[in-house]
Amino acid sequence: MSDETVTPILQVEDLSVEFHTRNGVVKVLDRISFAVAPGESVAVVGESGSGKSVTAFALLGLLDPAARITGGKIVYRGRDLLALPERQRREVRGRELAMIFQSPRTSLSQVRTVGRHLTDVLARHHGLSGAKANARAAELLAQVRITDQERRLGAYPFELSGGMCQRVLIALALACAPSFLIADEPTTGLDVTTQAAIVELLADLCAERQMAMVFITHDLPLASTLANRLLVMHAGQLVEDAPTARLLARPRHPYSAKLLAAVPASAATLAA
Ligand code: ADP
Ligand code: MG
C-alpha cells in the first residue's frame, strides 16, 4: 500500500539523531526517511542496536535527554511535529499516537489492578469516572479479546500471564482511540504461540479501526506475517524499504540478504 497517490499519515524525512555520551558524540540515526499511509502496517526490522527504538522514541518525542535531533522532519497529518511547540506536540502524542513496548509485565504497576490502570487513563483523557469508566474499561478488555472482564479488572498484573499483560497494555493504548500505533518489540519474551496471538490481535485491531502501525522487531518472519512493507535498518541507516513479498524473494541490500539468510528455512517458508 505504498501507493504514491495516498497522502501519508506520517512522513519522516532525513531524520538524524545523535547521542552525547561521555566518550563523545555518537550518530545513531543517519537521515532516515519513510512514509506510512493511513491504516497501513509497516514493520521495521534490524539487529539489536541498529536504531529501531531510537526511531520510535523520536516519533513520539520521548527521546532520552542525552539525544539530540540534528536534522530532518517528522510530518504527522501534514504538521511537522519537530516544529510544534512542546504543548501542542504533547497533545498530538496523547490523542493520536500510542505506543506499546517490550516486557509488558514491567510496564504495569504491580500495586494497581488492571481496572485501576484503565480507569486512570480514561479519567485523564476522557474525563470518565465511576460506573461509566468501569463499563468502558470492560469494553476495552473485550476489544483485546480478554474474556471474563469483570474478574480481570480486579486482577493485579502479577496474577496475569505475560501475554495477558501485553493485552492489557494494548487496551491501555487503545483507550485514547489512537490513529497511529507504534509497537516496539511487543512480543519479545513471550512464547511463540502467545506471540502469534498478539500479532494477530494487533493486525485485527488495525484493520477494524483503520489504525496505522509501525511494528518494530528483530524477528523477520514475525514482521513478514504482519506487514505489507518492511523497512530494514542497519547501523542507524534505513537500508531498504520494500514490499514484504519482494524483499523476501529478492532482497536488494546486502544487509537485507544477510538478515534473510539468518532465518531458518522453515520459518522463511512460513512467512512467504
Ligand atoms: P535497537 O535497534 O536495538 O532498538 P536502539 O535504537 O535502542 O537500537 O539503539 C541504537 C543505538 O543508539 C545503539 O548503538 C545504542 O547504543 C545507542 N543508544 C541508545 N540509547 C542511548 C543513550 N541513552 N545514550 C547513548 N547511546 C544510546
Ligand atoms: Mg530496541
Side-chain angles (χ1 to χ4, degrees):
M1 234 192 46
S2 53
D3 186 344
E4 250 108 80
T5 59
V6 176
T7 307
I9 185 168
L10 174 77
Q11 192 153 14
V12 177
E13 287 173 32
D14 288 331
L15 182 68
S16 297
V17 173
E18 51 185 45
F19 275 98
H20 291 246
T21 71
R22 233 174 291 148
N23 303 325
V25 175
V26 188
K27 200 170 200 169
V28 292
L29 289 189
D30 183 12
R31 302 181 57 139
I32 301 282
S33 299
F34 64 93
V36 182
E40 186 186 26
S41 291
V42 304
V44 177
V45 294
E47 68 196 351
S48 174
S50 55
K52 305 183 299 297
S53 294
V54 169
T55 303
F57 286 119
L59 294 180
L60 289 159
L62 297 175
L63 280 170
D64 188 281
R68 207 160 64 85
I69 294 179
T70 53
K73 288 183 183 168
I74 299 175
V75 182
Y76 182 76
R77 290 189 193 278
R79 292 195 293 181
D80 181 6
L81 296 184
L82 299 179
L84 286 183
E86 178 54 29
R87 203 169 57 87
Q88 279 181 38
R89 193 171 180 192
R90 211 177 308 138
E91 251 177 56
V92 173
R93 189 157 75 216
R95 205 175 301 154
E96 306 211 27
L97 311 177
M99 183 162 184
I100 52 173
F101 302 91
Q102 192 177 336
S103 45
R105 197 176 292 284
T106 55
S107 305
L108 293 166
S109 157
Q110 296 304 312
V111 295
R112 291 154 75 213
T113 61
V114 169
R116 182 71 197 286
H117 277 94
L118 285 162
T119 53
D120 279 358
V121 171
L122 291 168
R124 198 162 353 113
H125 288 276
H126 300 282
L128 291 181
S129 60
K132 271 199 180 137
N134 282 329
R136 180 76 189 119
E139 241 172 70
L140 284 164
L141 290 190
Q143 281 172 19
V144 295
R145 326 281 192 257
I146 291 181
T147 55
D148 200 0
Q149 295 101 19
E150 287 310 320
R151 190 166 62 88
R152 299 297 191 189
L153 285 174
Y156 287 89
F158 65 82
E159 299 176 291
L160 306 175
S161 68
M164 197 62 85
C165 286
Q166 192 55 284
R167 285 176 195 269
V168 171
L169 285 171
I170 296 170
L172 282 167
L174 295 179
C176 307
S179 39
F180 201 103
L181 181 67
I182 299 170
D184 189 0
E185 309 261 10
T187 64
T188 303
L190 302 177
D191 66 77
V192 176
T193 317
T194 311
Q195 275 193 2
I198 295 287
V199 165
E200 194 184 318
L201 172 65
L202 288 171
D204 287 351
L205 292 169
C206 286
E208 281 164 20
R209 299 165 165 250
Q210 275 298 294
M211 184 167 63
M213 176 165 65
V214 171
F215 185 91
I216 295 174
T217 180
H218 62 275
D219 186 333
L220 182 61
L222 191 72
S224 312
T225 60
L226 185 77
N228 296 328
R229 198 150 60 84
L230 299 177
L231 311 181
V232 180
M233 286 195 68
H234 177 59
Q237 293 185 329
L238 207 158
V239 296
E240 191 159 356
D241 175 347
T244 303
R246 208 279 281 143
L247 192 129
L248 295 180
R250 289 182 311 283
R252 286 191 187 142
H253 192 276
Y255 180 73
S256 310
K258 211 176 120 192
L259 263 189
L260 198 59
V263 174
S266 56
T269 321
L270 200 76

